[in-house]
Amino acid sequence: MDQKHIRNFSIIAHIDHGKSTLADRILELTQTVEKREMKDQILDSMDLERERGITIKLNAVQLRYHAKNGEDYLFHLIDTPGHVDFSYEVSRSLAACDGAILVVDAAQGVQAQTLANVYLALENDLEIIPVINKIDLPSAQPEVVKKEIEDLIGLDCSNAVEISAKTGKNVDQVLEAIVHDLPAPSGDPQAPLQALVFDSLYDSYRGVIAFVSIKNGTIKPHDTIRFMATGAEYEVLEVGVHTPKEVTESQLNTGDVGWISAAIKNIEDVRVGDTITNANQPADQPLQGYREMNPMVYCGLYPVDNARYDDLKEALEKLKLNDASLHFEPETSQALGFGFRCGFLGLLHMDVVEERLEREYNLQLIATSPSVIYHVYKTDGTMEPIDNPSALPPAQKINRIEEPYVRAEILVPNEYVGPMMELCQKKRGEYVDLQVLDDIRMQLVYELPLSEIIFDFFDKMKSATKGYASLDYELIGYRPSNLVKMDILLNGQVVDALSTIVYKDFAFNRGNAMAIKLKELIPRQQFEIPVQAAIGGKVIARTNIKALRKNVLAKCYGGDISRKKKLLEKQKEGKKRMKMVGSVEIPQEAFMAVLSMD
Ligand code: GTP
């Protein structure tokens, strides 16, 4: 199709403002997928893909649209991940587009991730179409929300489309706006190939499949391509698009968004944000914006059953094949045995990986509490990055410790500004700015240690603001902090997997809270277990877990056999995640106890 008739766009929105619902309606209206078949069809292909051992992500769908002016258009709808953990990936998906549809909930208005996504879209020079969704809701205030978008974002809303993605009302106008208000891709088909890699996945038969947006030039089978960041070269086997079914094409042209397969077995060669060029006629420069992705949060993952170490290793290797940002290396813990130190983009990423390991690979895991990467400057003048508290050098060898800080932007209703500031202050936040957004909300800016955010910040924020605040943050660098390692001793023995790095002024409270929490979590055993928190050998808190044999059947007075069974089942269930550490049996939750403390 003529390049002028191509439109490449993403839908951007705050969580739950209706991005997926609108995408579904667009697929229906362009008859990409029949309404009736929609769910079935997409799910069918997913099951199939699953059998072949890959996870499908509907990252880019090609749609054909017959516009009201009688002409046909080719749309590429590019999906973006919707969470702050993945903001670099969001940015690269947006770089694959020329425009974006900004969906804002008519009842909720602009939220933190609306702003964050708009900034990313503007950084990538995208044209933005504002769309006000959920106008069917009684609480919808489209006029107020439009004014908000104009005031906060500076986007002209006189042509904003008011829709209900749920009922389908006015969604056709969104399609027309895509045709008339978004630009066609501007690249040069004669120029050397520059294809932006915005996503990839691993197929056990074909190797890595790269998802690309062709910015300049063309690509076809038998071309020799080069990944500009890594220098890796391959011969292209097949190219194609998703409609959402996978379709093979003879060639991808400037403006197309599709996939490339080239028997790439090494996932490291294909990096999101990299530029693919033709090895025989290479572009001078890669496209802008490539950045190496580094994990921000680390934790240890251990199989509950030590015999499954090799299974865990294999599962991690497989997951890494379609998740290049997952890092892992072997680690041993005196308490937990053999496992892996794993690095993630953020807590959500960590949860997703853990869940996939448990569900898809049937592994039972113990995860240690997450840690950021500390920069430890030693007395010998060297710096050591430390992502595992138990690896911290002894205090006398440390000159200073620096920790990562983030700039957090929080949108909060006026009445909760006080509690929100209190929370930030409590989490060692440094106040930067407070601005009035509109009649009801303010934007609060704080600089906070990342370690304070990854613990329970989201939950605390929710309860401080009844769920009405929204947060977005970005890393701003390292700063020195007064940090110490806190050890936990059970029965007089240090349990390395329970060690944490804490802010010194918080150490006493945390140590106390941790000891109390562990007393709650660790079941009584046949002997008394002292629980101690210590810094550099000095005990700062102590409790005891009294000796008692718990008899779960005692309450049942004989009678009801099914009830008895249920209780036994339950107890068994609870037992599954126990780990013997020395002579003490510790449940999985204990290793995460630090997450649920002040
Ligand atoms: P994430 O996938 O979590 O980022 O959310 P999303 O932005 O994709 O939102 P999604 O489409 O899943 O919609 C969130 C909720 O809003 C769902 O329960 C939808 O049914 C509902 N919803 C979406 N559009 C409308 C609408 O126009 N009107 C009403 N009343 N509800 C809607």
Side-chain angles (χ1 to χ4, degrees), residues 300-304 336 354 358 363-369 497-498 518 521-523 573-581 585-595:
L301 289 181
Y302 294 84
V304 170
L336 298 176
E354 266 180 60
E358 301 212 335
L363 287 160
Q364 298 232 315
L365 300 174
I366 286 187
T368 63
S369 75
L498 288 173
L518 288 173
L521 290 173
I522 297 175
E573 193 77 14
K575 275 242 164 89
K576 270 195 228 151
R577 297 291 174 92
M578 295 279 196
K579 194 89 185 176
M580 277 307 277
V581 175
E585 216 173 26
I586 307 178
Q588 182 204 20
E589 300 78 55
F591 296 97
M592 283 290 175
V594 64
L595 284 186

Side-chain angles (χ1 to χ4, degrees), residues 13-22 82 105 133-137 163-167:
H14 187 74
I15 292 160
D16 277 348
H17 282 198
K19 183 173 102 169
S20 316
T21 314
L22 176 60
D105 186 317
N133 188 29
K134 307 199 187 180
I135 54 166
D136 59 298
L137 290 177
I163 66 164
S164 166
K166 191 171 171 184
T167 67

Side-chain angles (χ1 to χ4, degrees), residues 500-524:
T500 48
I501 292 177
V502 294
Y503 184 57
K504 196 163 181 199
D505 293 357
F506 293 176
F508 182 73
N509 281 343
R510 286 233 165 133
N512 238 329
M514 184 87 179
I516 292 169
K517 192 86 194 171
L518 288 173
K519 182 179 171 176
E520 264 170 42
L521 290 173
I522 297 175
R524 292 180 177 196

Side-chain angles (χ1 to χ4, degrees), residues 156-427:
D156 176 15
C157 278
S158 51
N159 288 325
V161 193
E162 296 178 20
I163 66 164
S164 166
K166 191 171 171 184
T167 67
K169 187 171 178 197
N170 294 345
V171 174
D172 56 330
Q173 291 179 23
V174 177
L175 295 174
E176 286 296 310
I178 293 167
V179 167
H180 297 291
D181 300 344
L182 296 187
S186 60
D188 176 0
Q190 307 304 329
L193 174 69
Q194 281 181 310
L196 173 75
V197 180
F198 64 90
D199 205 348
S200 70
L201 61 75
Y202 189 84
D203 175 315
S204 34
Y205 293 95
R206 297 179 298 171
V208 182
I209 308 288
F211 290 85
V212 294
S213 172
I214 313 289
K215 294 295 188 180
N216 289 298
T218 57
I219 184 168
K220 58 181 187 311
H222 305 304
D223 285 353
T224 304
I225 50 169
R226 179 186 303 152
F227 289 85
M228 294 183 87
T230 59
E233 293 191 4
Y234 291 95
E235 184 187 329
V236 176
L237 294 181
E238 283 187 312
V239 299
V241 297
H242 282 103
T243 69
K245 272 202 304 280
E246 187 180 291
V247 176
T248 306
E249 302 272 4
S250 58
Q251 170 165 325
L252 293 179
N253 298 313
T254 301
D256 281 342
V257 176
W259 54 267
I260 297 173
S261 105
I264 304 167
K265 292 293 175 209
N266 183 8
I267 184 87
E268 295 286 341
D269 287 341
V270 185
R271 301 201 181 151
V272 168
D274 194 5
T275 302
I276 295 176
T277 191
N278 189 310
N280 297 319
Q281 197 204 347
D284 298 340
Q285 293 282 332
L287 298 159
Q288 277 193 347
Y290 173 71
R291 223 173 52 196
E292 193 120 356
M293 277 307 288
N294 293 315
M296 304 241 275
V297 177
Y298 283 78
C299 81
L301 289 181
Y302 294 84
V304 170
D305 174 3
N306 286 336
R308 299 207 60 197
Y309 172 82
D310 285 327
D311 295 340
L312 174 59
K313 178 162 181 257
E314 208 180 300
L316 282 167
E317 278 164 358
K318 282 202 179 132
L319 279 189
K320 180 153 176 79
L321 291 177
N322 53 29
D323 184 353
S325 44
L326 168 66
H327 286 220
F328 63 91
E329 56 187 59
E331 145 178 295
T332 26
S333 151
Q334 278 168 4
L336 298 176
F338 292 97
F340 292 91
R341 194 77 194 162
C342 302
F344 310 92
L345 299 174
L347 272 202
L348 177 79
H349 188 210
M350 181 175 114
D351 283 347
V352 169
V353 170
E354 266 180 60
E355 171 136 359
R356 289 190 63 188
L357 288 169
E358 301 212 335
R359 270 214 280 185
E360 293 170 32
Y361 298 92
N362 201 20
L363 287 160
Q364 298 232 315
L365 300 174
I366 286 187
T368 63
S369 75
S371 164
V372 298
I373 305 172
Y374 296 95
H375 285 176
V376 180
Y377 292 84
K378 295 186 286 189
T379 44
D380 64 6
T382 59
M383 189 278 279
E384 194 180 340
I386 293 281
D387 60 49
N388 183 349
S390 63
L392 196 70
Q396 65 272 20
K397 288 199 173 162
I398 298 175
N399 184 330
R400 68 174 191 284
I401 304 178
E402 295 192 355
E403 64 176 329
Y405 264 70
V406 300
R407 176 188 163 93
E409 296 185 355
I410 301 151
L411 301 196
V412 56
N414 297 344
E415 66 259 47
Y416 301 117
V417 168
M420 195 63 225
M421 288 179 79
E422 217 171 279
L423 173 63
C424 289
Q425 224 77 45
K426 222 168 117 191
K427 297 289 183 184

